[in-house]
Amino acid sequence: MPPRNLPPRSETPTTPEDLINVAMVEDDAACLHALAHAVEAAPRLRMAWAAANLRTALARLPDEPIDVLLVDLGLPDGSGLDLIAAARGRWPDCAVMVSTIFGDETHVLRAIEAGAMGYVLKDLSAEELVEEIHSLHAGGSPINPMVARKLLMQRSTPPAAAPAPLAATPLSARESEVLRLIARGYTVEEVAGALGVSPHTVQTFVRRIYTKLQVNSRAEAVREGTRQGWLSAD
């Protein structure tokens, strides 16, 4: 459960609809306490619930819709991956971000495949993590820079003597540009600003990308674009 006697938020939204409902699962009591305080003190964030293990978190999932779920992978009674999949199944619009000590390729890819949209390491301060929560809810895909670089380096392959031609992309030029910006972590608003179009137009492009690539999330779209060779590592 969230710690009691939390400090008041620095700003209070006028309506409950303005609040971003946050849940977190963390087995380190001190870390959980610090994060819960930071969330409660942050503008527009509401601490819905917190849990220290997988069993409690799974039991709390049906309580109310969650906008952002922050989850550790190494829980005392199971894997955070199971919680990610359960949360995405229960609340499809819930944005999941992993906060963990594991920065290797296997853990990152398994988390993304389970439905995570953000992946950060536990070297962030509570205040920095709050910023990443806002970014995630705004449509971004926060990922630790060192983790991202490691993934790109590990998954890069030396050029072959006779490289096979890339698969033809079904995306239009503008849809391809939107996908490239999404892969770089741009939010909908940032993509709109970069391309000089409205956020509504960007959302239309994103829906078309999902349909053409037969995916259901930004992470899946980026993974498919990378697999097909449509996205570069720069």
Side-chain angles (χ1 to χ4, degrees):
M1 296 294 293
R4 298 180 179 179
N5 301 321
L6 296 175
R9 300 184 183 91
S10 56
E11 297 180 17
T12 302
T14 56
T15 63
E17 290 75 14
D18 292 329
L19 293 172
I20 301 171
N21 290 313
V22 179
M24 62 179 63
V25 187
E26 170 60 61
D27 63 332
D28 185 307
C31 182
L32 181 62
H33 184 83
L35 292 178
H37 267 70
V39 167
E40 284 291 346
R44 297 186 60 234
L45 298 187
R46 170 181 173 266
M47 191 69 207
W49 52 264
N53 55 62
L54 178 61
R55 180 179 179 182
T56 302
L58 290 173
R60 296 299 304 271
L61 272 184
D63 288 356
E64 59 179 307
I66 297 299
D67 298 310
V68 173
L69 173 64
L70 187 66
V71 58
D72 189 3
L73 294 182
L75 299 174
D77 57 343
S79 171
L81 295 173
D82 295 328
L83 179 61
I84 295 173
R88 294 285 293 164
R90 178 70 181 184
W91 307 114
D93 293 331
C94 175
V96 181
M97 181 161 61
V98 171
S99 175
T100 183
I101 62 173
F102 302 113
D104 59 280
E105 178 184 11
T106 299
H107 280 92
V108 177
L109 293 182
R110 290 182 65 188
I112 292 174
E113 289 169 357
M117 299 178 181
Y119 198 104
V120 297
L121 300 183
K122 287 188 175 181
D123 56 356
L124 293 182
S125 68
E127 291 72 21
E128 289 172 327
L129 197 56
V130 164
E131 293 181 6
E132 298 293 18
I133 290 174
H134 279 292
S135 172
L136 182 69
H137 185 260
S141 298
I143 184 169
N144 179 276
M146 289 188 297
V147 171
R149 183 174 181 83
K150 184 185 299 184
L151 281 177
L152 291 173
M153 292 178 64
Q154 290 178 344
R155 296 182 68 81
S156 63
T157 56
L166 297 178
T169 173
L171 305 180
S172 68
R174 183 49 63 94
E175 290 164 353
S176 296
E177 182 64 19
V178 170
L179 180 59
R180 282 192 290 270
L181 293 176
I182 288 175
R184 293 170 60 183
Y186 279 46
T187 65
V188 169
E189 289 74 14
E190 289 170 338
V191 173
L195 300 182
V197 299
S198 70
H200 177 75
T201 299
V202 173
Q203 291 172 340
T204 298
F205 284 132
V206 171
R207 286 193 294 270
R208 290 176 183 172
I209 292 171
Y210 287 1
T211 299
K212 290 182 178 181
L213 301 188
Q214 298 182 346
V215 298
N216 298 302
S217 71
R218 292 166 178 262
E220 290 178 357
V222 171
R223 185 166 63 250
E224 179 64 15
T226 302
R227 187 180 70 83
Q228 295 289 354
W230 304 329
L231 296 174
S232 63
D234 55 11

